[in-house]
Amino acid sequence: GNPAKGEKIFKNLCAVCHSLTSHGTGPALAGLAGTNIAGQDGFSYSGALSGKATLKWTDANMNKWLKSPADFAPGNAMAFAGIPSAKDRLDLIAYLKAT
């Protein structure tokens, strides 16, 4: 993926609820890659996402989540339908991995 294009996607789709450095409506996302799902200290995750806490934010899991949060973790609290474009998802993942 292309991190520069991913940054634009982040600003357009994610920054409404997410920051890289501080929790807001959604958790901070800097350094997310490779960490445990629902593992950020100081953020209250939904039970649906907390149920995935033994998994890591791998490229594959981030791709599944970004494609359809409702399919990845049914009942999660993120009000976002997902990103249908595989290329856009890969660009966003590349950006998040670079943070």
Side-chain angles (χ1 to χ4, degrees):
N2 181 322
K5 289 182 180 178
E7 182 177 11
K8 290 177 184 172
I9 294 165
F10 181 87
K11 287 179 178 175
N12 289 332
L13 297 180
C14 311
V16 172
C17 295
H18 291 277
S19 162
L20 293 177
T21 57
S22 61
H23 299 317
T25 301
L29 297 179
L32 184 73
T35 64
N36 283 74
I37 292 174
Q40 295 259 15
D41 288 337
F43 188 79
S44 179
Y45 293 91
S46 66
L49 207 52
S50 294
K52 302 277 186 182
T54 58
L55 302 176
K56 301 242 182 238
W57 281 122
T58 61
D59 287 8
N61 283 335
M62 284 193 281
N63 190 44
K64 289 176 195 172
W65 170 257
L66 292 169
K67 181 177 182 181
S68 177
D71 286 345
F72 184 80
N76 78 79
M78 191 164 91
F80 182 70
I83 301 172
S85 165
K87 183 183 180 314
D88 287 352
R89 291 192 309 271
L90 293 177
D91 289 344
L92 180 55
I93 290 166
Y95 171 67
L96 290 173
K97 288 174 70 173
T99 63

